[in-house]
Short mmCIF file of all heavy atoms in Angstrom, two decimals:
data_model
loop_
_atom_site.label_atom_id
_atom_site.label_comp_id
_atom_site.label_asym_id
_atom_site.label_seq_id
_atom_site.Cartn_x
_atom_site.Cartn_y
_atom_site.Cartn_z
N LEU A 568 -12.10 -23.73 4.94
CA LEU A 568 -12.93 -22.95 4.10
C LEU A 568 -14.11 -23.79 3.56
O LEU A 568 -14.05 -24.98 3.44
CB LEU A 568 -12.06 -22.49 2.85
CG LEU A 568 -10.85 -21.62 3.21
CD1 LEU A 568 -9.98 -21.45 1.91
CD2 LEU A 568 -11.26 -20.25 3.76
N PRO A 569 -15.23 -23.06 3.18
CA PRO A 569 -16.40 -23.86 2.70
C PRO A 569 -16.10 -24.51 1.33
O PRO A 569 -15.47 -23.87 0.53
CB PRO A 569 -17.48 -22.77 2.56
CG PRO A 569 -16.76 -21.47 2.47
CD PRO A 569 -15.49 -21.65 3.33
N VAL A 570 -16.63 -25.67 1.20
CA VAL A 570 -16.46 -26.40 -0.15
C VAL A 570 -17.52 -25.84 -1.09
O VAL A 570 -18.74 -25.97 -0.86
CB VAL A 570 -16.59 -27.92 0.03
CG1 VAL A 570 -16.52 -28.63 -1.28
CG2 VAL A 570 -15.57 -28.45 1.01
N ARG A 571 -17.09 -25.27 -2.16
CA ARG A 571 -18.03 -24.58 -3.08
C ARG A 571 -18.47 -25.44 -4.17
O ARG A 571 -17.72 -26.38 -4.64
CB ARG A 571 -17.33 -23.30 -3.65
CG ARG A 571 -16.86 -22.42 -2.62
CD ARG A 571 -16.45 -21.05 -3.19
NE ARG A 571 -15.91 -20.14 -2.21
CZ ARG A 571 -16.55 -19.54 -1.32
NH1 ARG A 571 -17.92 -19.62 -1.30
NH2 ARG A 571 -16.05 -18.75 -0.39
N ILE A 572 -19.68 -25.22 -4.62
CA ILE A 572 -20.20 -25.93 -5.78
C ILE A 572 -19.89 -25.26 -7.06
O ILE A 572 -20.06 -24.05 -7.16
CB ILE A 572 -21.77 -26.07 -5.68
CG1 ILE A 572 -22.14 -26.96 -4.48
CG2 ILE A 572 -22.41 -26.64 -6.95
CD1 ILE A 572 -23.65 -26.94 -4.19
N ASP A 573 -19.33 -25.92 -8.06
CA ASP A 573 -18.92 -25.31 -9.32
C ASP A 573 -20.11 -25.19 -10.22
O ASP A 573 -20.29 -25.93 -11.18
CB ASP A 573 -17.87 -26.23 -9.97
CG ASP A 573 -17.25 -25.57 -11.21
OD1 ASP A 573 -17.50 -24.31 -11.40
OD2 ASP A 573 -16.52 -26.22 -11.96
N TRP A 574 -20.96 -24.18 -9.92
CA TRP A 574 -22.20 -24.00 -10.67
C TRP A 574 -21.91 -23.55 -12.12
O TRP A 574 -22.66 -23.84 -12.98
CB TRP A 574 -23.02 -22.91 -9.94
CG TRP A 574 -22.36 -21.55 -9.98
CD1 TRP A 574 -21.44 -21.07 -9.07
CD2 TRP A 574 -22.49 -20.51 -10.89
NE1 TRP A 574 -21.06 -19.82 -9.37
CE2 TRP A 574 -21.66 -19.45 -10.55
CE3 TRP A 574 -23.23 -20.46 -12.08
CZ2 TRP A 574 -21.55 -18.29 -11.32
CZ3 TRP A 574 -23.17 -19.26 -12.79
CH2 TRP A 574 -22.33 -18.22 -12.41
N SER A 575 -20.82 -22.83 -12.34
CA SER A 575 -20.50 -22.35 -13.66
C SER A 575 -20.26 -23.45 -14.70
O SER A 575 -20.48 -23.23 -15.91
CB SER A 575 -19.36 -21.40 -13.65
OG SER A 575 -18.17 -22.08 -13.20
N SER A 576 -19.74 -24.63 -14.27
CA SER A 576 -19.47 -25.69 -15.19
C SER A 576 -20.73 -26.26 -15.79
O SER A 576 -20.70 -26.87 -16.86
CB SER A 576 -18.67 -26.76 -14.49
OG SER A 576 -19.46 -27.38 -13.45
N GLU A 577 -21.91 -25.99 -15.15
CA GLU A 577 -23.13 -26.51 -15.62
C GLU A 577 -24.06 -25.38 -16.23
O GLU A 577 -25.16 -25.68 -16.64
CB GLU A 577 -23.91 -27.24 -14.50
CG GLU A 577 -23.15 -28.34 -13.83
CD GLU A 577 -23.84 -28.79 -12.58
OE1 GLU A 577 -24.87 -28.24 -12.18
OE2 GLU A 577 -23.33 -29.86 -12.01
N TYR A 578 -23.54 -24.18 -16.22
CA TYR A 578 -24.34 -23.02 -16.66
C TYR A 578 -24.62 -23.06 -18.08
O TYR A 578 -23.72 -23.15 -18.98
CB TYR A 578 -23.76 -21.78 -16.23
CG TYR A 578 -24.47 -20.50 -16.55
CD1 TYR A 578 -25.59 -20.14 -15.76
CD2 TYR A 578 -24.22 -19.74 -17.61
CE1 TYR A 578 -26.36 -19.01 -16.05
CE2 TYR A 578 -24.93 -18.60 -17.88
CZ TYR A 578 -26.04 -18.23 -17.08
OH TYR A 578 -26.75 -17.16 -17.44
N LYS A 579 -25.92 -22.89 -18.54
CA LYS A 579 -26.34 -22.88 -19.93
C LYS A 579 -27.25 -21.66 -20.12
O LYS A 579 -28.06 -21.68 -21.12
CB LYS A 579 -26.95 -24.18 -20.38
CG LYS A 579 -26.03 -25.39 -20.26
CD LYS A 579 -26.80 -26.63 -20.71
CE LYS A 579 -25.87 -27.90 -20.74
NZ LYS A 579 -25.33 -28.27 -19.42
N GLY A 580 -27.24 -20.70 -19.24
CA GLY A 580 -28.18 -19.59 -19.38
C GLY A 580 -27.87 -18.66 -20.54
O GLY A 580 -26.78 -18.58 -21.11
N ARG A 581 -28.98 -17.86 -20.87
CA ARG A 581 -28.82 -16.86 -21.94
C ARG A 581 -27.94 -15.67 -21.58
O ARG A 581 -27.22 -15.11 -22.41
CB ARG A 581 -30.24 -16.38 -22.34
CG ARG A 581 -30.19 -15.36 -23.46
CD ARG A 581 -31.61 -15.01 -23.86
NE ARG A 581 -32.22 -14.07 -22.97
CZ ARG A 581 -32.25 -12.72 -23.20
NH1 ARG A 581 -31.68 -12.21 -24.25
NH2 ARG A 581 -32.86 -11.88 -22.34
N ALA A 582 -28.07 -15.33 -20.31
CA ALA A 582 -27.34 -14.09 -19.85
C ALA A 582 -25.91 -14.46 -19.51
O ALA A 582 -25.52 -15.54 -19.06
CB ALA A 582 -27.99 -13.57 -18.58
N LEU A 583 -24.97 -13.53 -19.91
CA LEU A 583 -23.62 -13.63 -19.49
C LEU A 583 -23.57 -13.18 -17.96
O LEU A 583 -23.99 -12.13 -17.64
CB LEU A 583 -22.74 -12.66 -20.30
CG LEU A 583 -21.33 -12.47 -19.83
CD1 LEU A 583 -20.49 -13.77 -19.89
CD2 LEU A 583 -20.58 -11.37 -20.71
N VAL A 584 -23.04 -14.04 -17.17
CA VAL A 584 -22.90 -13.74 -15.74
C VAL A 584 -21.43 -13.38 -15.38
O VAL A 584 -20.50 -14.15 -15.58
CB VAL A 584 -23.32 -14.93 -14.81
CG1 VAL A 584 -23.26 -14.60 -13.35
CG2 VAL A 584 -24.70 -15.41 -15.19
N VAL A 585 -21.25 -12.21 -14.80
CA VAL A 585 -19.94 -11.69 -14.40
C VAL A 585 -19.92 -11.61 -12.97
O VAL A 585 -20.77 -11.04 -12.36
CB VAL A 585 -19.62 -10.35 -15.08
CG1 VAL A 585 -18.23 -9.89 -14.75
CG2 VAL A 585 -19.82 -10.33 -16.54
N TYR A 586 -18.92 -12.23 -12.34
CA TYR A 586 -18.87 -12.32 -10.88
C TYR A 586 -17.39 -12.33 -10.36
O TYR A 586 -16.48 -12.24 -11.13
CB TYR A 586 -19.60 -13.64 -10.41
CG TYR A 586 -18.97 -14.88 -10.81
CD1 TYR A 586 -18.27 -15.70 -9.88
CD2 TYR A 586 -18.98 -15.33 -12.15
CE1 TYR A 586 -17.69 -16.85 -10.26
CE2 TYR A 586 -18.45 -16.57 -12.49
CZ TYR A 586 -17.72 -17.33 -11.56
OH TYR A 586 -17.10 -18.46 -11.87
N GLY A 587 -17.26 -12.48 -9.02
CA GLY A 587 -15.96 -12.50 -8.38
C GLY A 587 -16.02 -13.52 -7.24
O GLY A 587 -16.36 -14.64 -7.35
N HIS A 588 -15.63 -13.00 -6.03
CA HIS A 588 -15.78 -13.71 -4.78
C HIS A 588 -14.69 -14.80 -4.52
O HIS A 588 -14.09 -14.83 -3.43
CB HIS A 588 -17.09 -14.48 -4.69
CG HIS A 588 -17.48 -15.06 -3.37
ND1 HIS A 588 -17.30 -14.44 -2.20
CD2 HIS A 588 -17.85 -16.35 -3.08
CE1 HIS A 588 -17.69 -15.25 -1.18
NE2 HIS A 588 -17.97 -16.34 -1.67
N THR A 589 -14.36 -15.53 -5.49
CA THR A 589 -13.28 -16.61 -5.35
C THR A 589 -12.12 -16.23 -6.20
O THR A 589 -12.18 -16.28 -7.44
CB THR A 589 -13.83 -18.02 -5.78
OG1 THR A 589 -15.06 -18.28 -5.07
CG2 THR A 589 -12.79 -19.12 -5.51
N PRO A 590 -10.98 -15.81 -5.53
CA PRO A 590 -9.83 -15.39 -6.33
C PRO A 590 -9.18 -16.38 -7.18
O PRO A 590 -9.09 -17.50 -6.85
CB PRO A 590 -8.90 -14.85 -5.23
CG PRO A 590 -9.20 -15.65 -3.99
CD PRO A 590 -10.74 -15.83 -4.08
N ARG A 591 -8.78 -15.98 -8.42
CA ARG A 591 -8.13 -16.81 -9.37
C ARG A 591 -6.92 -15.96 -9.89
O ARG A 591 -6.91 -14.74 -9.89
CB ARG A 591 -9.05 -17.19 -10.60
CG ARG A 591 -10.26 -18.04 -10.11
CD ARG A 591 -9.79 -19.45 -9.91
NE ARG A 591 -10.99 -20.32 -9.67
CZ ARG A 591 -11.39 -20.73 -8.43
NH1 ARG A 591 -10.80 -20.28 -7.42
NH2 ARG A 591 -12.41 -21.53 -8.35
N ALA A 592 -5.93 -16.68 -10.48
CA ALA A 592 -4.77 -16.05 -10.97
C ALA A 592 -5.05 -15.23 -12.20
O ALA A 592 -4.47 -14.21 -12.46
CB ALA A 592 -3.67 -17.03 -11.31
N GLN A 593 -6.09 -15.76 -12.99
CA GLN A 593 -6.50 -15.03 -14.20
C GLN A 593 -8.01 -15.03 -14.22
O GLN A 593 -8.73 -15.93 -13.63
CB GLN A 593 -5.95 -15.77 -15.41
CG GLN A 593 -4.48 -15.85 -15.55
CD GLN A 593 -3.70 -14.57 -15.82
OE1 GLN A 593 -4.36 -13.61 -16.25
NE2 GLN A 593 -2.51 -14.46 -15.37
N ALA A 594 -8.61 -14.07 -14.93
CA ALA A 594 -10.07 -14.03 -15.15
C ALA A 594 -10.42 -15.32 -15.96
O ALA A 594 -9.72 -15.62 -16.94
CB ALA A 594 -10.44 -12.78 -15.91
N ILE A 595 -11.37 -16.00 -15.48
CA ILE A 595 -11.72 -17.30 -16.07
C ILE A 595 -13.10 -17.25 -16.73
O ILE A 595 -14.09 -16.96 -16.05
CB ILE A 595 -11.69 -18.38 -14.99
CG1 ILE A 595 -10.27 -18.54 -14.41
CG2 ILE A 595 -12.15 -19.77 -15.61
CD1 ILE A 595 -10.18 -19.48 -13.25
#
């Protein structure tokens, strides 16, 4: 599988970004 960059850990934007793509046990 491709190694993904954890962009969300550095996110400081004004907009709330709602997304999917990478399954998790709980909404994070």
Side-chain angles (χ1 to χ4, degrees):
L568 299 173
V570 178
R571 304 193 184 283
I572 295 173
D573 186 12
W574 65 276
S575 61
S576 64
E577 303 171 354
Y578 182 77
K579 297 181 175 64
R581 180 176 80 97
L583 171 64
V584 180
V585 186
Y586 67 105
H588 188 51
T589 305
R591 296 283 187 260
Q593 302 291 339
I595 297 175

